[in-house]
Amino acid sequence: MRSNKPLLLSLAAALSALSQLSAHADTQSLGTVTGSASSSTGFFGSAPNLNVGHTPKEDIQRVQKFNKTATNQETEITKGQFQMISPTDSYTQVLNTLPNAVVVSSGDSMDGDDVYINGFSKSLINFTLDGIPLNDNDSYTYYTNEFIPSVLVSGAKYYPGAESAALPGLAAFGGAFATYSLKPSPFPIVRPIVGAGSFGKYNYGGLINTGLFAKNFAPTSAWIYVNQTQRDGYFQNNGAIQSQFLFKSITQVGPGNLTLFFTQNNQRFNYYNGATAQQIDQFGRDYNSYTSNLYNPNGTVNTNYSGFNYNNYLNWLGYAKYEGHLGRVHFSDQFYYYYGNGFGAGATTYSQTVLTPNDTIATVRPASGQVLLRNSVNNTHRWGNIAKILVPLGPVDSEIGFWFNHNNTLHDSRYLSMSNVYLGSSYYEPVVTNTYEPFLVLNYKPIDALKLTAGLKYLYVSRSFVDDVALARGRPGQFDVNFSSVLPSVGANLRILPNWHAYVNYSENSNPPGYNQFYTGTYNANLQPQRAKTYSVGTNWELGPWSSQLQAFRVDFSNYILSTTIQVGSFNQSVLANAGKAINQGISWQNNVVLNDIFSAYANVGILDARLTSAGQPFPYAPHHTEALGFIGRYHGFQGTISFHEMGNSYYSLGSSFLPLGSRFYSNMSLRYTFNNAPLSNTLGFKKVTTALNLNNLFDRSYIVSYSGSSSNPYQKLNLPFNVYASLDATF
């Protein structure tokens, strides 16, 4: 690892310089760039309008807000909820409060979470950041710890179905989770941030907000965030280090605002592989089958050595977005670029057939008493553009848009000797995928109490896949496929009483096969996209201090892609086919109660029936019921929450087997106190100091989160025991 000294020196210099500016912050003119600059008012999925120096009181009182005028279910998860989770966790932890949602951390949330909503996994959920689709366009996977930390999130919007044609992206069977970054403040801010907690975890870094500058010709404000999180891994032997750098600026240019954004995330973490039930009984729940022992007791090299089994990855994401108004026309254009490069590492004692550096096929074997090292490389270049225009046409508001995405990924399974000499690749597969998605949404109010929405988007995907190892062996290895779908959506919202609305929505969604369609024994040229029809009906009401949202939904999933055995000549071959149908249906009920400025609470309940009907199997992580209950307290500088979560029985898919996970119950607590007149504040220049304490799994409950290995003798992966994280940030 590189030394952190230059990073610390740079941060210290910036803190010193900008702390001199902060003394004049209250007298600065805001110019034309204000806290509301670059909001997306009018567009579907508009961002919460918050900056780094602002958290509204209502965001602390409520962890969720309901859009009662929408023609679909729309829940905003507030900034107050994000600031109450541990700052080192993935931001998707906030989804744990939602009905029919399950968030699973295999080891530690800073390594990323697995998310399941209404029975659908995260590869079937559309994740976006500031409007940019984040799911990989080849496999639709998404890693939740790669793009933005929770401290920089202004809020998120959750749509539990395909819902609207105006939301770009793929894989929305389980809905969409749209996350938005904080805007820069017009005032200078310097905020060092440090923290430490259980299992040797700590972080240090800070946030610098420039305040408004260049006011006379291009008013601009920007923030920069740097942070490093590290843990030594003495629990579960899975140490990790994560370095983050993020930047965002907003500049007034002509009739609109130019937003620039960049995030870089460097991470390395050892795997938590779990243990058998017998090993857990013998060694305790912190046992990990990956160990720090390079050699086995008999002197042979240990393939479970943790130095062989880890993940190392670099992620970049940047965008430039210009958004503004010309008369009644609202326009936006956003160009983005993503670069990811890294690998998962492992080791084996088995011989491998590889494509050597000389472009020949050979069998490589480890030397006596050694292993072959394997790096499963994923190198991705992705760029795209999202253009939108909102045009009022008489009584109809029309939103027109176009999303294009180019994805170029190399999948390379590299084998090396223990002296790190590259021997060859068992697969070497460049994949290029282009996605085109124009869309149109019309909103019409025939009467004041009724809103009607109709939308249509056309999805076209072209993919080129090359298997260099197959070509070198004289086998078919180059394929080109194209997929297209027409996807409608319609909805209505009726205002029954001033504080009582009802809505109904129908939408269709489609997901082309991933690049793994070329992996099975026989390539199926007739494989078609998976499709789903989503029906939902719901109501929102406010009754004094009580606000609530109740929805019933059903997703008819057709063309589900399954591995199917067919006969080719006299041999059985596996082939991916559109052989499956599924039903995901249920009820979700969300509630807020704000008693006064001090006390508030929330309660969410979900009931779910999610099953693959054609195979008679349950969906993994699809509990029949979920409950979340939380209490929020706020008094002067104090904020506190305590939450209780319960999930019914569910299953984990391991190969062709479904292993029971059982039910689970856990409780979390968070405490924050802000000193607005902190000790030594006049001497050191503090504006305020905030201390926070997160206590997770209060009752130290133990449960299985997943399995690995074989279904006959599986390794169990258990949750973290009771753990604590304390943090401190000071604003200059």
Side-chain angles (χ1 to χ4, degrees):
M1 295 293 176
R2 290 175 295 180
S3 169
N4 296 309
K5 187 175 180 180
L7 177 73
L8 294 173
L9 290 176
S10 299
L11 180 59
L15 293 174
S16 175
L18 282 180
S19 64
Q20 303 302 313
L21 294 175
S22 64
H24 308 289
D26 295 334
T27 62
Q28 287 194 17
S29 168
L30 299 184
T32 55
V33 175
T34 70
S36 63
S38 191
S39 67
S40 298
T41 304
F43 284 129
F44 176 85
S46 58
N49 188 29
L50 301 178
N51 60 47
V52 295
H54 179 50
T55 302
K57 181 177 71 174
E58 65 175 12
D59 275 18
I60 298 171
Q61 293 174 322
R62 293 177 173 88
V63 301
Q64 54 196 1
K65 299 178 183 177
F66 314 129
N67 184 353
K68 63 183 180 181
T69 64
T71 59
N72 52 273
Q73 183 179 353
E74 179 182 324
T75 299
E76 179 182 333
I77 302 174
T78 66
K79 180 184 176 184
Q81 171 72 342
F82 283 96
Q83 72 179 19
M84 299 302 263
I85 64 173
S86 176
T88 61
D89 282 344
S90 169
Y91 71 94
T92 47
Q93 286 288 312
V94 297
L95 289 168
N96 270 317
T97 64
L98 293 180
N100 301 316
V102 179
V103 182
V104 181
S105 303
S106 183
D108 193 296
S109 180
M110 73 173 282
D111 301 339
D113 296 330
D114 286 323
V115 179
Y116 299 84
I117 297 176
N118 294 341
F120 296 106
S121 69
K122 64 183 179 182
S123 63
L124 296 174
I125 302 167
N126 182 19
F127 292 89
T128 66
L129 174 61
D130 291 346
I132 299 172
L134 299 178
N135 298 67
D136 181 86
N137 280 55
D138 291 332
S139 62
Y140 314 113
T141 56
Y142 172 62
Y143 299 98
T144 67
N145 57 331
E146 292 183 346
F147 294 99
I148 189 168
S150 60
V151 296
L152 295 177
V153 175
S154 64
K157 294 190 176 183
Y158 164 63
Y159 312 91
E163 304 299 2
S164 174
L167 191 64
L170 295 164
F173 297 108
F177 187 59
T179 306
Y180 301 93
S181 61
L182 285 164
K183 297 179 177 68
S185 168
F187 299 113
I189 295 172
V190 179
R191 183 177 297 160
I193 303 170
V194 296
S198 303
F199 313 129
K201 186 190 291 188
Y202 61 90
N203 80 286
Y204 57 90
L207 174 72
I208 300 172
N209 190 95
T210 64
L212 196 66
F213 62 92
K215 290 183 290 185
N216 294 328
F217 62 94
T220 300
S221 188
W223 56 249
I224 298 172
Y225 174 85
V226 292
N227 181 70
Q228 181 159 294
T229 302
Q230 191 164 346
R231 68 169 186 263
D232 59 20
Y234 69 83
F235 181 81
Q236 297 173 338
N237 193 39
N238 61 342
I241 184 169
Q242 183 178 39
S243 300
Q244 299 165 311
F245 172 84
L246 294 96
F247 165 85
K248 186 174 184 178
S249 69
I250 297 178
T251 303
Q252 177 79 36
V253 180
N257 293 302
L258 175 65
T259 302
L260 302 178
F261 178 88
F262 176 77
T263 173
Q264 176 176 314
N265 183 78
N266 263 332
Q267 58 186 4
R268 173 182 166 128
F269 55 88
N270 288 341
Y271 296 132
Y272 169 43
N273 196 44
T276 64
Q278 293 79 8
Q279 289 170 330
I280 293 172
D281 288 340
Q282 182 177 357
F283 301 112
R285 62 177 173 174
D286 62 342
Y287 184 79
N288 186 356
S289 59
Y290 289 146
T291 76
S292 56
N293 299 320
L294 177 58
Y295 295 100
N296 294 312
N298 61 5
T300 60
V301 177
N302 181 14
T303 57
N304 284 337
Y305 169 51
S306 55
F308 295 155
N309 297 278
Y310 62 92
N311 184 293
N312 194 87
Y313 219 84
L314 164 69
N315 299 278
W316 293 359
L317 174 67
Y319 70 78
K321 179 179 182 179
Y322 187 67
E323 179 178 7
H325 294 266
L326 288 174
R328 297 178 63 199
V329 176
H330 187 184
F331 62 88
S332 170
D333 190 76
Q334 184 176 26
F335 176 83
Y336 61 89
Y337 173 76
Y338 167 77
Y339 170 69
N341 187 25
F343 58 88
T348 181
T349 58
Y350 294 99
S351 60
Q352 302 291 326
T353 300
V354 300
L355 178 65
T356 70
N358 297 324
D359 293 328
T360 60
I361 297 296
T363 299
V364 295
R365 298 177 176 82
S368 178
Q370 296 193 6
V371 298
L372 294 178
L373 304 180
R374 182 189 180 194
N375 288 348
S376 299
V377 175
N378 186 297
N379 183 290
T380 299
H381 296 266
R382 183 187 312 152
W383 62 270
N385 193 78
I386 303 170
K388 295 182 179 182
I389 184 169
L390 188 69
V391 184
L393 299 173
V396 178
D397 286 336
S398 63
E399 184 172 344
I400 306 168
F402 183 79
W403 172 48
F404 170 75
N405 188 93
H406 173 82
N407 199 95
N408 189 338
T409 301
L410 172 64
H411 305 273
D412 182 6
S413 178
R414 300 168 59 87
Y415 282 91
L416 305 93
S417 69
M418 286 187 64
S419 56
N420 283 315
V421 176
Y422 172 56
L423 304 174
S425 298
S426 60
Y427 60 76
Y428 188 94
E429 299 163 350
V431 187
V432 176
T433 304
N434 289 319
T435 302
Y436 309 82
E437 191 175 85
F439 62 85
L440 168 67
V441 175
L442 303 175
N443 295 300
Y444 175 57
K445 298 185 73 172
I447 59 175
D448 185 60
L450 179 62
K451 177 182 178 181
L452 303 175
T453 299
L456 186 72
K457 61 183 173 184
Y458 174 71
L459 174 65
Y460 181 81
V461 174
S462 65
R463 178 174 293 132
S464 174
F465 174 90
V466 179
D467 183 346
D468 283 349
V469 176
L471 292 175
R473 302 179 74 173
R475 301 175 180 176
Q478 185 161 353
F479 305 95
D480 296 291
V481 292
N482 301 301
F483 305 101
S484 63
S485 301
V486 177
L487 305 171
S489 65
V490 292
N493 182 293
L494 176 65
R495 187 181 71 242
I496 303 170
L497 293 173
N499 290 319
W500 182 20
H501 289 245
Y503 64 86
V504 61
N505 188 277
Y506 167 80
S507 57
E508 295 186 15
N509 190 45
S510 175
N511 195 21
Y515 75 95
N516 66 339
Q517 77 170 104
F518 309 105
Y519 275 8
T520 53
T522 301
Y523 166 57
N524 181 2
N526 297 317
L527 196 62
Q528 296 298 310
Q530 304 176 115
R531 295 186 67 94
K533 298 178 180 180
T534 300
Y535 309 84
S536 61
V537 58
T539 181
N540 298 277
W541 68 85
E542 295 179 4
L543 188 62
W546 177 31
S547 60
S548 187
Q549 179 173 256
L550 176 65
Q551 174 177 262
F553 64 91
R554 178 184 172 104
V555 182
D556 286 335
F557 201 165
S558 61
N559 279 17
Y560 194 84
I561 296 175
L562 295 173
S563 180
T564 305
T565 301
I566 63 173
Q567 190 168 10
V568 180
S570 58
F571 298 98
N572 289 330
Q573 292 278 359
S574 61
V575 59
L576 290 178
N578 299 107
K581 292 185 178 181
I583 289 177
N584 296 64
Q585 58 189 355
I587 296 172
S588 65
W589 189 20
Q590 297 172 259
N591 300 272
N592 292 319
V593 179
V594 180
L595 296 176
N596 49 42
D597 284 347
I598 299 175
F599 295 111
S600 57
Y602 62 90
N604 297 334
V605 178
I607 300 174
L608 180 65
D609 172 25
R611 48 197 161 87
L612 190 60
T613 54
S614 56
Q617 296 173 340
F619 271 80
Y621 289 107
H624 290 298
H625 57 89
T626 63
E627 296 83 31
L629 175 66
F631 300 93
I632 303 168
R634 179 176 181 267
Y635 186 72
H636 296 298
F638 171 80
Q639 300 172 36
T641 65
I642 185 169
S643 62
F644 304 92
H645 307 260
E646 198 273 336
M647 299 176 192
N649 293 319
S650 60
Y651 295 89
Y652 182 82
S653 177
L654 187 62
S656 59
S657 299
F658 282 78
L659 302 179
L661 291 170
S663 60
R664 67 184 65 174
F665 169 82
Y666 64 93
S667 178
N668 297 330
M669 178 183 286
S670 63
L671 305 169
R672 292 169 63 89
Y673 191 85
T674 299
F675 300 87
N676 289 307
N677 295 297
L680 301 178
S681 59
N682 293 331
T683 304
L684 300 177
F686 294 143
K687 290 182 179 178
K688 62 180 180 180
V689 176
T690 298
T691 61
L693 185 66
N694 293 87
L695 301 96
N696 298 316
N697 194 7
L698 282 175
F699 303 112
D700 200 25
R701 302 295 291 266
S702 181
Y703 49 83
I704 300 171
V705 296
S706 62
Y707 295 89
S708 63
S710 66
S711 58
S712 60
N713 190 30
Y715 286 165
Q716 300 176 3
K717 296 185 179 181
L718 302 182
N719 64 306
L720 287 178
F722 170 73
N723 59 93
V724 179
Y725 200 83
S727 59
L728 174 72
D729 67 76
T731 300
F732 291 87

